[in-house]
Amino acid sequence: MKILMFSLFFSALFSQTKTITFTESDSAIFINPSLDYYFSKSSTIPPDFNTAKPIASYSAFKDSIRKAPQYRSVWGVMKVRNLSKDSVLFINAKEYVAKLRVYEKVNGKLKESGITGFNISRSLLHAKNGDLYHIRIHVPVGAEKTFYFQSSLYRNQVFFPELDLITYTHHLSLTDAYFSSSEFNYYQYTLFFIGIHFCLMVLALSRFRAQQFRLALLVFAGINLFYIFYYLAEYDFIDFENKLFPGFIHNNYVTFLGAIEPGLYYIFFWSYLDRDKNLWFRRFLLACSAFWIAFYFMVNVNWDYVFLSKLSVFTRNFGPMFDLLVTGLVFVYLMRYKSTFYKYARMGVFILLISAIQLSIPYFMASLGINNEMPRFISNFSLLVMQICIVLDFILFLYGQNRNEIELQAEKENIKKQLLQKEIERQKSILAERRRISLDMHDDLGAGISALKLQAEFLKKKLDDESLKQDVHDILVTSEEMNLSMREILWSLNSSNDTVKSLVDYISVYAENFLRKSGIRLEMQVDKINRNELIDAESRRNIFLVCKESLNNIYKHSNAKNVKISFFHEGEFLHVVISDDGCGIPENSVTGNGLINMKERVEEIHGELNVSSNNRGTSIHIKLKKDKEKLL
């Protein structure tokens, strides 16, 4: 080490600024070996080039720059003698550089003449003779100029790129070569992935009414929208510079989006874990998400203290391995689930694990001191591999969610079928019980009433006392009424009568028999009706009792000459209308018990009862919607 320091000191003591001669036959010259290098502890103040000792050896400089965490900028100095035919030359950065400035001495002071790098305002690039890769310099033909290159601290590390001095013609050829290179093709691939993410976002939103994983679908749609903006910003399809925060350059947005991307993925994992069973692991994922916010500030702030600078570099190298660790834990944790959805979610996380391993390899190799081309070669494909793995994971998530939804729907249908089967069995047992009760009433109660009537008839013939005969006559009338009531009950219990046709026929027969000796003319109107439509026993009985009560009121109070009973269907509704041409309902009887009872009977079967009356007659309108569930 002492020998190296002595040789550097000796060479610096006797060395002068090196000169590059650019001739007419030259198109590009690699200038790094021709530079004198200086370190500075300030990012704005240059070293004193008159007293500072440069590092003249390029190999010694590359070894020194890895051991210089306390420095905040690197300077390179050279002279250019232009013997070509063009006074405009270009400095071509062969590597990505955050910020590279070129100065010239004017009146003994350094004046900035050009700038390039990705961590610079786009408007400043155009104003300072530069773009993302090149700086335009002016050297008169036959003249000689000294240029000072400054590369500032970025993410707590100093870096100096490899540079070429090229002609304008060669600059144009490099631009054409770039548009045909694999790097430019990444732009095309990115547009393809943006389209896929947009389609996945739309699919997620279209499935938002799913029975499960609604929060996961919402987070899924949000993270796809995030990737769309991230890729658009990463490849300069959109420019965020000064859009949200003044002075916040485009690269700040890109690095922030790139830093929080793993954290958003942890929130995605968090969203589809069972809330009740995974409380501690869900909290762990949220804490890991917060790590990436701290990661962004720790890595992107240029710290003044050496310890914090080293910690920042360590954090940047540790980030991909931390993501690998968390993704691996999620994969292991999902092993405990056996459902179809988590099976596909686990497959997706395994694919992400492959991407995390691929991203971690270059940093792992760097930590082991492996500085050959292999880490860089692997890094070149990191973004493409990550994009493919993310899309595959998202597709597996949607597919698993769809399979889960199909299984839930099938399970729901199976439960519905089981309930339907149980309901059918229950209805069958009810029908059987109704049939048994009907037969028992007909055979036992009906026979008893008939025997009672017969005995009363014999007794009436034997009696001479008129008062006793009247009592026996009352017994005969009561038994007849009981017989009619029993027949009504038997009719309502008989399941073979659960049709509109049976209801219409029964009401017609009853009305004709009831009004036969009253002098009131009956008109039955049955139009636009589906006679075979089913109607449950309760609805049949209540409609009949309302009609029976209406006919009784007409007979007793209306003084009507004509009665009309209408049946018709209108959509899903059955309409029954009983109207007469009598004197109407007195105002003090509108809220009587009879009308209240009729309204309650109709409401019991979820129907509507409307009564309209005037001095020209009364109309009672029953409106009943067909209830399919009651007919199972």
Side-chain angles (χ1 to χ4, degrees), residues 139-187:
V139 182
V141 176
E144 184 178 279
K145 271 190 178 183
T146 302
F147 292 95
Y148 301 81
F149 300 90
Q150 181 202 21
S151 179
S152 300
L153 188 73
Y154 180 70
R155 290 187 170 183
N156 296 281
Q157 284 188 313
V158 287
F159 170 75
F160 199 92
E162 293 187 349
L163 303 175
D164 281 340
L165 181 64
I166 61 175
T167 62
Y168 177 71
T169 304
H170 191 63
H171 164 67
L172 293 179
S173 66
L174 288 177
T175 304
D176 293 338
Y178 167 75
F179 283 103
S180 61
S181 66
S182 59
E183 183 174 352
F184 179 75
N185 290 333
Y186 278 143
Y187 281 68

Side-chain angles (χ1 to χ4, degrees), residues 10 78 108 258 465 473:
F10 187 82
M78 72 169 185
D465 190 337
H473 178 73

Side-chain angles (χ1 to χ4, degrees), residues 230-276:
Y230 177 47
Y231 293 152
L232 288 174
E234 174 72 20
Y235 284 103
D236 298 327
F237 292 107
I238 55 176
D239 186 0
F240 286 119
E241 190 164 297
N242 297 321
K243 297 295 191 300
L244 300 177
F245 304 102
F248 213 58
I249 66 173
H250 180 76
N251 185 60
N252 294 137
Y253 291 99
V254 174
T255 53
F256 179 74
L257 293 175
I260 66 171
E261 180 267 336
L264 291 178
Y265 230 110
Y266 301 162
I267 294 176
F268 176 53
F269 296 149
W270 166 87
S271 67
Y272 63 67
L273 289 177
D274 193 316
R275 299 185 186 182
D276 299 326

